[in-house]
Amino acid sequence: KKWRSGGETSIKEHFIRLTPDRQSKQGWLFNDDPIEFEDFEILLKFRISGQGKSLYGDGMGFWVTQKPDDRFVGGPLLGSTDEF
């Protein structure tokens, strides 16, 4: 299985919702496939929306890690560890 998720994440047929539109919720999605290129680019398309009039969450982070054994570790940096 290449993709793993957790926290408040829900996977639908045509989209992935990392969290509901409430504060202090966390969701995550990991892919286990290594990037085997020296140079690469990532195209990330996302939408932030919700029922509120202005803010829809606490923030969002995107990490590309070097070690294949890196896994989600909770912490103070948008829900993840602040140790790199």
Side-chain angles (χ1 to χ4, degrees):
K1 190 173 185 180
K2 296 179 183 183
W3 291 97
R4 292 182 294 125
S5 63
E8 302 286 332
T9 301
S10 62
I11 299 174
K12 307 297 182 185
E13 184 177 355
H14 298 289
F15 66 93
I16 297 168
R17 177 174 289 127
L18 291 176
T19 63
D21 64 343
R22 303 292 179 257
Q23 290 181 327
S24 302
K25 299 294 182 184
Q26 296 179 5
W28 51 269
L29 185 68
F30 270 96
N31 187 295
D32 292 327
D33 282 348
I35 298 172
E36 298 177 349
F37 303 102
E38 185 174 321
D39 298 319
F40 65 94
E41 66 181 59
I42 296 172
L43 176 62
L44 178 65
K45 182 178 179 181
F46 63 93
R47 183 181 82 182
I48 298 175
S49 62
Q51 301 292 325
K53 301 234 184 265
S54 60
L55 300 176
Y56 303 116
D58 298 322
M60 185 174 120
F62 180 82
W63 288 264
V64 176
T65 62
Q66 293 181 351
K67 296 182 283 183
D69 61 342
D70 281 349
R71 299 293 183 251
F72 179 79
V73 177
L77 184 60
L78 294 174
S80 187
T81 182
D82 59 354
E83 295 181 22
F84 296 91

